[in-house]
Amino acid sequence: MINNYDNLNKSITEAYGNKNSILQSYEIFIDNFNKLNKEYKFSVSFSSDYIFEQLEMIVNSKPRALNYIPFGIKDTFNTKVLPTEMGSEIWKGFKAGNNARIVDEIIFRGGLSFCKTSTAEFAVDYIEEGFTLNPHNVKHITGTSSAGSAVAVACGALPICLGSQTAGSIIRPASFCGVYGFKPSFGAFDRTGALKTTDTLDTIGLIGCDIDIVFKTFFELYQSTRDYPLAQKYKKNYLDKASKKPNILLLGAQLNIYNSYAKYVQKDFESISHELSLKYNVVQVGDKEIDFLNDVHNSQLIIYDKALSYYFLEEAKQFRKISSVMTNMINRGNEYSDNDYIAQIKLQVHLTAKMNQLMHDYDIDYIITPSTASVAPKIGCHELEDSALIWTYFGMPSVSVPVFQNSLLNLPYGLQIVGSRYDDLSLLKFARVFEERIN
């Protein structure tokens, strides 16, 4: 596969200040991008004219933190020039006429709104057949709704893309495609102009080729102004943990779903757990004290389905233009009363407080657990349940690191690291300890 961004980055570095050389480098980059997209089908819209319009602005301005970095934008974020179709036939050709706040932030810092990456219908589950092909094996799936972003990075077409997660839509495709997937703390990025599916769960995140570009991008884009009073916690937590030896919780069999994980996942996790126990302080938590984690999946399902039945009321009327997957989720949501929904929101608040207290009482810095229950299943097969939605439910940051490779299937999968809310910078720094294992 073409390592498209490395070549571009090298060319731009060598040609810095030379406008014509930079534009020529991007012409080559775009040509390679189109070849990769034709092969793996990860982008749904793209405009070279708009890219060069943005480049003209960058080359004529002062250096900025994200200068010249091309970003894939998941097709659930508004973009001023490119259509925003949300993986839906209903919204085919729709133009929002504005950028989502996060897209404007990228452009303001010198990054390029390069293309729209394909997504599942309304960022839920259904992906049209023949799109987002897994570069490791096209006969295997790519995960859920941020799959286009994961494929764009995995095949080397783009260095970083926007994604979003309401259950496991960043962590899962990142794991299946062997790239870094980062779901920040809930609220780290402003959601204005992004598709809303569930108020207390939707989280904007990043999928990247390495941990450094993920760290750099998050550091530049998270809401750090006085308008966001909790934002100061990110840097404070980062500085507080700068010289501390981490305490880790290795989370496997304590979760009921772990029993259904593939045997090779369990074996690999046991092996890396042993390695980590020799380097870090391993926290022991009793099964009873952590058993509430097993209640999350059912609660999340009710919140998600009920929210979909509310936000997609009009789309549901056009049932011939939405998938059976979406229809079933909306129908399930309609079966729950408003009181059922309110009860689950209250439970989410209660369990989140319980989780925060657990992290505090045991002085846990990071939870470490497999990203997914297996490698990417074959097309037509369902994924096994994993723990990704648990951390979404609690609003905690998590990152999937492409640590594992199943030699028999020749497919990658990730190790998931979870931190306390607002501890994102420390979490990403800690994720660097696995780079040697990856390289």
Side-chain angles (χ1 to χ4, degrees), residues 35-53:
K35 290 175 183 176
L36 289 165
N37 187 41
K38 186 176 180 180
E39 186 172 1
Y40 297 110
K41 298 177 174 60
F42 52 79
S43 175
V44 291
S45 59
F46 158 88
S47 167
S48 58
D49 288 343
Y50 181 48
I51 290 168
F52 284 108
E53 181 184 317

Side-chain angles (χ1 to χ4, degrees), residues 133-152:
L133 304 179
N134 194 322
H136 298 277
N137 190 325
V138 297
K139 294 181 180 179
H140 288 251
I141 68 171
T142 50
T144 41
S145 76
S146 299
S149 292
V151 171

Side-chain angles (χ1 to χ4, degrees), residues 366-369 397-401 415-419 427 430-431 434:
Y366 309 112
I367 297 170
I368 299 177
T369 191
S398 63
V399 58
S400 180
V401 183
L415 182 70
Q416 187 172 197
I417 312 165
V418 184
L427 173 69
F430 179 70
F434 297 95

Side-chain angles (χ1 to χ4, degrees), residues 229-367:
L230 297 173
Q232 302 308 313
K233 291 188 176 184
Y234 292 99
K235 287 184 180 178
K236 182 181 184 303
N237 290 339
Y238 184 55
L239 294 172
D240 287 349
K241 289 188 177 179
S243 59
K244 182 177 183 272
K245 184 178 181 179
N247 298 325
I248 61 173
L249 172 63
L250 300 166
L251 188 61
Q254 302 97 316
L255 296 175
N256 291 342
I257 55 174
Y258 186 77
N259 294 323
S260 64
Y261 282 21
K263 296 300 180 186
Y264 57 82
V265 172
Q266 295 180 3
K267 183 178 179 181
D268 287 344
F269 183 62
E270 288 170 9
S271 176
I272 202 167
S273 293
H274 175 70
E275 291 179 32
L276 294 171
S277 68
L278 300 176
K279 295 181 181 179
Y280 305 104
N281 304 316
V282 177
V283 177
Q284 302 296 331
V285 180
D287 289 352
K288 287 186 178 180
E289 292 171 273
I290 212 166
D291 188 55
F292 69 93
L293 297 180
N294 294 309
D295 299 331
V296 168
H297 277 76
N298 185 60
S299 179
Q300 191 270 356
L301 179 69
I302 296 171
I303 292 172
Y304 198 6
D305 288 351
K306 186 61 180 175
L308 290 179
S309 71
Y310 174 78
Y311 283 116
F312 295 92
L313 184 64
E314 291 303 313
E315 285 80 2
K317 294 175 183 177
Q318 303 183 56
F319 62 91
R320 289 188 177 87
K321 291 186 177 181
I322 63 175
S323 68
S324 59
V325 173
M326 188 75 178
T327 299
N328 290 338
M329 293 182 76
I330 290 172
N331 288 342
R332 285 202 307 264
N334 286 328
E335 293 176 2
Y336 300 120
S337 67
D338 291 347
N339 287 336
D340 291 333
Y341 177 79
I342 292 168
Q344 293 307 316
I345 293 296
K346 288 180 178 179
L347 180 62
Q348 184 185 12
V349 172
H350 170 70
L351 293 183
T352 298
K354 194 170 183 177
M355 186 70 216
N356 292 340
Q357 194 64 46
L358 180 80
M359 297 289 284
H360 177 269
D361 290 348
Y362 284 88
D363 194 21
I364 300 167
D365 294 304
Y366 309 112
I367 297 170

Side-chain angles (χ1 to χ4, degrees), residues 192-219:
T192 304
L195 173 68
K196 181 186 285 190
T197 62
T198 314
D199 292 83
T200 64
L201 299 171
D202 291 348
T203 309
I204 296 172
L206 304 167
I207 295 178
C209 61
D210 61 50
I211 200 66
D212 289 335
I213 197 167
V214 172
F215 185 97
K216 179 180 180 178
T217 301
F218 178 74
F219 187 83

Side-chain angles (χ1 to χ4, degrees), residues 2 7 30 42 48 73 99 112 131 139 149 188 248 260 273 308-309 356 377-378 381 383 396 406:
I2 300 169
N7 294 334
I30 289 170
F42 52 79
S48 58
I73 312 296
N99 287 325
L112 281 83
F131 280 94
K139 294 181 180 179
S149 292
I248 61 173
S260 64
S273 293
L308 290 179
S309 71
N356 292 340
K378 285 187 176 180
C381 298
E383 305 104 306
M396 300 166 72
N406 183 277

